[in-house]
Amino acid sequence: MTAGKGLDAQKRVYAVWAKFYDRIYQGLLSRAQREAVAAACACGRDILEIGVGTGLTLPYFERDRQVIGADLSFDMLRVARAKVLAQGLDHVRGLLVMDACRLGFADRSFDAVTAQFVITLVPDPEQALAEMDRVLRPGGEIVISSRLVGDGGLAAPLWSLLAPLAKAVGWSSDFKVSRLTGWAAATGRYETVHVGQGYFKVVRLRKLR
């Protein structure tokens, strides 16, 4: 499957999910989302959220921040836009249809880039990380929250076995934390400052000044 066909399939799935996504995931994901948002807000004013979806996280941002949300799905963003208007979320400066692997922003545009429950689903996670790096200012952080697993442990083979089923419903069961921390180390420009615990983890990668 080509990347283009993969993205088209994702858009069709998200068009369906947009109708009931909040009812299923709002409570389930809120702890990790709030933690990720707090970390991003601590970095500075200008924040990009990739995979903003229906805007579940948008009310969590501090109101003196300037938040841009990007997502592949127009249907998801339509729900997010209604939420911004209904709740008066004036700190949200824009909601844009955009591919995480091809961000339409200038270099060093943001103090923080957060990607919540999306890195495991993009066709090329390393390319998405490279784009986050490109638009992030030195001293800022890439903040990832997702279902992530360690490299070892007795459960690792089980998560790998469940990977095809998880992918079919829009999840990933075997995306390793080391894929993120390894990328950070390989660039020579990042340090890993936090790896969270629990089923849903927050990983913070700081760009060196």
Side-chain angles (χ1 to χ4, degrees), residues 25-26 33 42 44 47-48 53 55 73 81 84 90 99-100 103 108-109 113-114 117 123 147 153 155-156 168 174-175:
Y25 289 118
Q26 185 163 23
Q33 288 177 331
I47 301 171
L48 170 64
S73 170
R81 178 60 177 166
V84 168
D90 295 334
D99 180 355
L103 298 176
R108 301 187 176 190
S109 294
V113 179
T114 178
F117 299 92
R147 165 61 186 147
D174 64 343
F175 196 100

Side-chain angles (χ1 to χ4, degrees), residues 92-110:
V92 179
R93 309 305 296 174
L95 295 168
L96 307 172
V97 176
M98 200 169 290
D99 180 355
C101 295
R102 298 172 181 81
L103 298 176
F105 302 107
D107 296 356
R108 301 187 176 190
S109 294
F110 300 97

Side-chain angles (χ1 to χ4, degrees), residues 57-184:
T57 63
L58 296 178
Y60 304 154
F61 285 92
E62 296 175 16
R63 295 306 174 97
D64 60 349
R65 298 304 188 258
Q66 303 285 297
V67 180
I68 300 290
D71 200 276
L72 186 65
S73 170
F74 174 79
D75 296 280
M76 288 279 203
L77 290 177
R78 185 163 50 189
V79 177
R81 178 60 177 166
K83 196 170 295 176
V84 168
L85 294 175
Q87 299 182 29
L89 304 179
D90 295 334
H91 59 288
V92 179
R93 309 305 296 174
L95 295 168
L96 307 172
V97 176
M98 200 169 290
D99 180 355
C101 295
R102 298 172 181 81
L103 298 176
F105 302 107
D107 296 356
R108 301 187 176 190
S109 294
F110 300 97
D111 297 309
V113 179
T114 178
Q116 307 220 36
F117 299 92
V118 68
I119 194 66
T120 65
L121 301 176
V122 298
D124 187 344
E126 284 72 26
Q127 176 59 29
L129 288 166
E131 278 292 274
M132 296 181 211
D133 171 39
R134 181 181 64 79
V135 303
L136 182 66
R137 294 167 184 154
E141 291 185 10
I142 295 174
V143 185
I144 305 287
S145 64
S146 198
R147 165 61 186 147
L148 303 167
V149 298
D151 289 276
L154 297 176
L158 175 62
W159 295 127
S160 295
L161 184 65
L162 292 175
L165 178 61
K167 185 175 182 180
V169 297
W171 284 100
S172 171
S173 67
D174 64 343
F175 196 100
K176 304 293 193 301
V177 170
S178 61
R179 193 164 178 182
L180 301 176
T181 58
W183 173 86

